[in-house]
Amino acid sequence: MAESSPRRIAFQGERGAYGEEALRALHGPHVEAVPCPTFRAVFEAVAEGRVDGGVVPVESSLGGPVAENVDLLLEHDVPITGEVSLRIRHCLVAPPGLALADVERVLSHPQALAQCAGYLRRRGIQPIPEANTAIAARKVAEEAPPRTGAIASRASAELYGLTVLEEGVEDSPDNYTRFIALGLTPPHEWKRRKTALAFTVQNESGALYRVLGAFSGRGLEVSRLESRPQRRAWEYVWCLDVDGALEDPRVREAVEAAQAACITLRVLGSYGVA
Ligand SMILES: O=C(O)C(=O)C[C@]1(C(=O)O)C=C[C@@H](O)C=C1
């Protein structure tokens, strides 16, 4: 029997990016990882069916929400189908020959720079934003700008022939990033399930309270509540994660009760957490 071609899963950046590691953690080794230049390109590739699925970061335990991806989720009609939390261990990397004491600036993704902000301040190293950690590593390797390193993964350093000057340069060992799967459901053994919602409420006293009450009144745990600006001033879209699958009657009833207290409510996904 002819072998079918592997499923194609998009991630932002280049080989060695944390997004690629998350993609492997969710989908395993037998899918084709498709690099995209931007997070928007990942969403568009999934929405237009050019790939089977995608993987993007949505929140860092140190740096906070990856707001761009929360907004892209609201903009596109692509379901969340899984989640994994990755321990992010950053390295200060540089072309061979550049000593740690001589590094004056580093390129990296803004989230990675935020996660290492204290370390960079202490060393007096200037952070320079780049589209992705792996792109930063490749640039430093190919262009060797003077006295410049990158904050990236050990995998990126190995791929692009860079020296790891210091490992574990994030400001806390409790540095995790939550990645979500879009489109194709990863074949994973899930630890638990959760449901992600986006909703809007009237600007009036008690509106948000009534939505939250639909969950707390049924003993359900809301693990995240975040607001994103709408295009009109001081009006928000609320993003809420609740523990439990939508097939669970308690969750379904809570979502229906919440809906009655909302102007709009959309289920972004009901999925497994690895
Ligand atoms: O730059 C990368 O390698 C990414 O995968 C992006 C990203 C992010 O956007 O949060 C992923 C994990 C880390 O938190 C740092 C950067």
Side-chain angles (χ1 to χ4, degrees), residues 80-105:
I80 307 175
T81 51
E83 177 185 309
V84 69
S85 176
L86 270 198
R87 166 75 167 92
I88 303 291
R89 197 168 162 77
H90 292 300
C91 299
L92 176 58
V93 302
L98 185 63
L100 182 55
D102 295 329
V103 176
E104 286 180 2
R105 58 194 82 79

Side-chain angles (χ1 to χ4, degrees), residues 12 17-19 39 57 66 88 90 109 111-112 115 132-134 177 179:
Q12 185 258 355
Y18 292 106
F39 290 130
V66 183
I88 303 291
H90 292 300
H109 186 278
Q111 269 287 346
Q115 292 161 20
N132 182 268
T133 58
T177 295
F179 288 83

